[in-house]
């Protein structure tokens, strides 16, 4: 097994999901491995749900220093970890696994970190403290983003097609984080935009092959920042319309890139840079994957 002299661990990593062929993570980590001239590899690990437990338990034995976890396995993976960091424990979901020297599995969740870092990179100096944020959605992505925003001191207005899910999410968040959380009926989502300073789409609406997001942006003042967790397409209709409205926008690709930084650092010992060249490579890879 090859070993990284800095981290003294195996140098093989990958992404566990089902399906996972569409993942940009191999292109992302392979770019950094080459850039920093490190020994290592990153592979797709398509894993059917009934094989997940076994796959996680044998990660170390198969020579992996860790793995990313993606849909639909993040919650189950959290239950299978020997250790969880505070964020993964709060969210009961893991997107990053580190195989420790003693073979035990540590789970972390860096999705919210990726979201906030992307926002701060896109809008330098943005202050989220006491900022009113409208979050569209109530799924796993929403939970990670909402938790990170609450940690930053933001106030949340959550709206979701299925209101009971938004209410359940509010209850879960109130157990693990402090802060103001309000629920807005989905039918009134456009009205909820009046006093917000940040609008975030965490639904799958607007994604390629998914329905469009219908939202009236007339109430959005031009000092509102609009960001979309959807990154295929990169410029969603929401971002295009917000830009046409005079708002600053941040696309979702950076969230994916920034969430990967702590993983790369933990596995390969280097805090990697987010460069324009990397973005271009991933945009190109996304094009290839969608044709
Ligand atoms: P993820 O883990 O990526 O967040 P998810 O948990 O499946 O994915 O969440 C998808 C989100 O997109 C949910 O908020 C979902 O709304 P529901 O909770 O009502 O299902 C939202 N979504 C998906 N399709 C939608 C649609 N056609 N209209 C409105 N919201 C939709």
């Amino acid at each position: 097994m090859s070993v990284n002299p800095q981290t003294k661990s195996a140098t093989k990593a990958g992404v566990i999901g089902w399906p996972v062929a569409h993942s940009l993570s191999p292109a992302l980590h392979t770019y950094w491995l080459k850039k920093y001239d490190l020994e290592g590899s990153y592979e797709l690990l398509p894993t059917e749900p009934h094989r997940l437990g076994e796959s996680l338990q044998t990660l170390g034995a198969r020579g992996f220093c860790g793995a990313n976890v993606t849909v639909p396995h993040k919650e189950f993976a959290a239950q299978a970890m020997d250790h969880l960091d505070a964020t993964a424990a709060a969210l009961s979901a893991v997107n990053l696994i580190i195989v420790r020297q003693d073979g035990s599995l540590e789970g972390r969740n860096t999705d919210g970190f990726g979201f906030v870092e992307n926002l701060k990179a896109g809008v330098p100096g943005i202050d989220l403290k006491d900022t009113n944020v409208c979050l569209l959605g109530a799924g796993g992505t929403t939970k990670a983003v909402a938790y990170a925003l609450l940690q930053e001191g933001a106030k949340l207005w959550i709206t979701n097609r299925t209101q009971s899910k938004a209410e359940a999410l509010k209850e879960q968040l109130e157990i693990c984080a402090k802060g103001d959380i309000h629920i807005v009926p989905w039918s009134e989502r456009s009205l909820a935009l009046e006093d917000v300073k940040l609008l975030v789409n965490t639904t799958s609406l607007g994604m390629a092959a998914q329905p469009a997001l219908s939202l009236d942006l007339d109430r959005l003042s031009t000092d509102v920042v609009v960001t979309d967790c959807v990154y295929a397409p990169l410029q969603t209709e929401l971002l295009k319309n917000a830009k046409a409205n005079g708002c600053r926008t941040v696309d979702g690709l950076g969230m994916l890139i920034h969430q990967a930084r702590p993983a790369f650092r933990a596995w390969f010992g280097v805090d990697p840079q987010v460069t324009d060249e990397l973005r271009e490579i991933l945009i190109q890879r996304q094009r290839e994957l969608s044709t």
Side-chain angles (χ1 to χ4, degrees), residues 240-261:
K240 282 189 210 164
N241 293 338
K243 216 176 263 179
N245 214 49
C247 300
R248 279 171 300 175
T249 61
V250 180
D251 69 58
L253 183 60
M255 178 176 173
L256 174 83
I257 302 175
H258 283 279
Q259 65 77 35
R261 282 172 40 213

Side-chain angles (χ1 to χ4, degrees), residues 115 141 145 200-203 227-232 251-253 255:
F115 172 80
T141 307
V145 167
V200 188
N201 178 38
T202 64
T203 73
T227 183
D228 203 326
C229 295
V230 170
Y231 60 81
D251 69 58
L253 183 60
M255 178 176 173

Side-chain angles (χ1 to χ4, degrees), residues 137-142 160-162 165 186 202-205 211:
T141 307
T142 323
N160 191 51
R161 173 182 62 177
T162 311
K165 284 202 208 164
W186 185 243
T202 64
T203 73
S204 48
L205 295 171

Side-chain angles (χ1 to χ4, degrees), residues 98-150:
I98 296 155
V99 180
R100 289 189 177 176
Q101 294 295 326
D102 65 1
S104 63
L105 299 178
E106 176 184 339
R108 301 185 191 170
N109 194 308
T110 66
D111 286 330
F113 169 86
F115 172 80
V116 170
E117 289 289 295
N118 183 38
L119 199 56
K120 289 182 176 175
V123 187
I126 190 169
D127 183 8
L128 295 165
K129 185 146 181 52
D130 295 323
T131 297
N132 291 341
V133 181
C134 178
L135 275 180
L136 305 167
T141 307
T142 323
K143 192 175 180 186
V145 167
Y147 182 74
L149 285 168
L150 289 170

